[in-house]
Amino acid sequence: MLIIPVSAQDAAVAYKFKATGVGVFSFEEALYHCMHFWKQSVDDFMCEEFVSWVKNELGLSFISSKIRELEKIQGFAERLLRFLSLTDYLDFSDVEGLRGELAEWESRKEWEKLKERGDDLMDKSEPEKAFALYSRALVFANNVALYNNAAIALMKQGDFAGAVEYLKKALYLEPDNVEVLLHLAEANILNGSFEAAGKLLDAAQVYGERAEIYFFRAEIQERAGNVHGSVPLFEKAIELDANPHYVYRLADVYVKLRQYERATKIMEGAPVKDKAYLKKQAELHVENNNIPAAIKCIEQAIVKNRGDAGLWARLASYHRSNYDHDKAHSAITTAIAIDPASARVNLEYARVRKAQGRIKDYQVILNRVLDGLKNRYRENVNYE
């Protein structure tokens, strides 16, 4: 069966779904997205911004009117199914196949649904949007998991004092929850409250020996200035759990002590030699002023991750530091081609152009990045 698209041509401006960050240029693409990512599209398919995009960018005023009429329908499941059926693009049986899944979703408690969506956003490294959902969920439930996850979202944003307050509420509800104790200790460490963190770790130690306890005690010593004293604690943590993060932090400490050979040796013991390992190894080479070795590490990482714009941007940065502006430009243009919207990639592009003496290009790109960050801030505010 031949299905004729409802719009004669794609929109010049994409609609970007807030939770997934996916941009679509046609109504058919929007339907496909909402069909396969319906939990993440809850706040999009009937919002004013989307309806206006359908009407103004796609020129589908009759479809936008039908979307507005869906507001009269009671229940999210029925509204979504009717939305997916506004055209013949999606197979009827596929749409109806969602009915049972949607009914189960609607029967769940509101806080559970919001938490699940927040957890999904955390997995996608969107802590600001995740926190907004956790906050909404807390209106419906005084829940340890919600307070805990909201705190982690705040820590990801650098709001350590706020995280401490949320974790205190979680610990009040479950004083014997070791995971909450450890998260609260971590938040206090990041907030510079070492004494409070130490007491929390003492409380956690009562429940048994754990690698995290030694790791956090090491962090306290290192951050308090006792760098040498942190080494045996990091080593004990690694002995109990060869967590790559623990290994990388001990390597950082050896770099701080200017013991580069030890840093390199401890890195060799990392359990996984993946992209993160190669990035960390590159950072150690940079600390040791060995830029060519750092470049080789990132090139190795790119072999298996050619679609990673961040790696190409990092490679451009290292080439720029090595005064090889041609290779830096080649790497950053590859990064731009992969992810033209990335602020990090565009910032490095601006720096490369500046290094090449293209000051006007540098200023234009920099202004574009700043405008993009402003727009992203507005999106987050609207989302909340």
Side-chain angles (χ1 to χ4, degrees):
M1 176 181 176
L2 179 63
I3 299 174
I4 308 297
V6 292
S7 46
Q9 60 185 24
D10 290 351
V13 177
Y15 177 79
K16 189 174 182 180
F17 284 89
K18 297 179 180 67
T20 63
V22 172
V24 296
F25 290 88
S26 70
F27 190 64
E28 288 73 25
E29 289 177 335
L31 287 173
Y32 183 88
H33 182 281
C34 291
M35 171 79 173
H36 293 277
F37 301 98
W38 58 265
K39 289 179 187 176
Q40 296 87 349
S41 306
V42 169
D43 293 326
D44 281 282
F45 76 97
M46 288 188 62
C47 74
E48 184 58 37
E49 186 181 354
F50 178 73
V51 175
S52 296
W53 176 79
V54 171
K55 180 180 180 180
N56 301 322
E57 298 298 332
L58 294 178
L60 300 174
S61 57
F62 67 104
I63 291 290
S64 65
S65 297
K66 287 185 177 181
I67 296 173
R68 291 187 192 282
E69 290 175 7
L70 298 178
E71 294 176 2
K72 301 174 185 177
I73 298 174
Q74 294 294 320
F76 164 72
E78 195 59 37
R79 280 198 302 271
L80 178 63
L81 292 172
R82 290 282 291 275
F83 170 77
L84 296 174
S85 303
L86 286 176
T87 75
D88 295 328
Y89 176 69
L90 297 173
D91 187 89
F92 176 78
S93 61
D94 290 338
V95 173
E96 280 298 303
L98 276 179
R99 190 175 291 277
E101 192 176 348
L102 290 169
E104 188 276 332
W105 168 260
E106 278 201 312
S107 70
R108 296 173 63 191
K109 294 178 180 178
E110 188 64 23
W111 74 265
E112 292 178 317
K113 293 185 281 187
L114 290 166
K115 178 183 178 296
E116 186 173 329
R117 290 168 56 202
D119 292 346
D120 185 64
L121 286 165
M122 286 294 287
D123 289 340
K124 292 179 172 62
S125 300
E126 293 277 5
E128 301 96 337
K129 294 176 181 178
F131 178 75
L133 290 175
Y134 293 139
S135 297
R136 285 167 57 185
L138 280 164
V139 173
F140 299 97
N142 199 29
N143 185 286
V144 171
L146 288 173
Y147 282 123
N148 180 76
N149 291 14
I152 292 173
L154 286 175
M155 282 196 276
K156 294 287 185 182
Q157 298 173 67
D159 184 359
F160 307 123
V164 166
E165 295 307 310
Y166 273 84
L167 287 164
K168 282 181 179 178
K169 292 176 181 178
L171 194 63
Y172 176 79
L173 294 174
E174 290 187 13
D176 297 330
N177 190 314
V178 182
E179 296 301 325
V180 173
L181 275 169
L182 292 173
H183 286 154
L184 182 53
E186 180 182 13
N188 273 291
I189 291 168
L190 294 170
N191 198 43
S193 304
F194 302 143
E195 184 177 351
K199 291 178 180 178
L200 289 162
L201 293 174
D202 290 341
Q205 190 102 40
V206 173
Y207 298 95
E209 190 174 54
R210 296 176 63 128
E212 300 102 305
I213 295 173
Y214 288 98
F215 175 75
F216 289 138
R217 291 195 190 281
E219 287 286 351
I220 291 172
Q221 293 300 315
E222 193 269 338
R223 290 166 185 261
N226 185 12
V227 182
H228 284 282
S230 71
V231 171
L233 291 167
F234 278 124
E235 289 175 339
K236 181 63 176 179
I238 293 168
E239 178 187 326
L240 294 173
D241 178 6
N243 186 316
H245 181 57
Y246 299 170
V247 174
Y248 300 161
R249 283 294 292 125
L250 180 54
D252 287 337
V253 168
Y254 282 134
V255 167
K256 203 168 188 178
L257 294 170
R258 300 191 180 281
Q259 297 178 16
Y260 298 109
E261 288 186 11
R262 284 195 172 188
T264 302
K265 186 175 181 180
I266 194 66
M267 283 292 291
E268 290 173 356
V272 180
K273 306 293 194 299
D274 57 2
K275 179 178 71 175
Y277 169 83
L278 290 167
K279 285 168 63 176
K280 188 63 185 181
Q281 199 172 46
E283 291 171 8
L284 295 177
H285 286 310
V286 170
E287 290 286 348
N288 199 24
N289 295 314
N290 191 347
I291 303 299
I295 289 171
K296 287 182 180 179
C297 286
I298 298 305
E299 287 175 339
Q300 288 178 45
I302 286 174
V303 169
K304 293 185 179 180
N305 303 273
R306 298 197 68 82
D308 190 321
L311 285 176
W312 286 102
R314 186 180 288 246
L315 181 61
S317 172
Y318 291 161
H319 279 309
R320 179 170 53 82
S321 298
N322 206 36
Y323 303 102
D324 194 333
H325 299 153
D326 289 340
K327 287 186 177 180
H329 186 259
S330 176
I332 200 60
T333 52
T334 301
I336 288 288
I338 295 170
D339 190 357
S342 167
R344 178 186 172 189
V345 168
N346 278 281
L347 279 172
E348 181 55 33
Y349 186 31
R351 295 184 187 114
V352 169
R353 297 308 268 171
K354 183 179 181 181
Q356 291 176 314
R358 304 291 292 271
I359 304 301
K360 186 174 181 180
D361 287 352
Y362 164 75
Q363 293 172 335
V364 169
I365 298 167
L366 196 60
N367 286 332
R368 189 169 67 221
V369 172
L370 292 174
D371 287 341
L373 291 173
K374 290 176 185 176
N375 291 334
R376 183 179 178 186
Y377 170 76
R378 293 191 191 101
E379 286 178 5
N380 288 338
V381 170
N382 292 336
Y383 186 84
E384 293 179 17

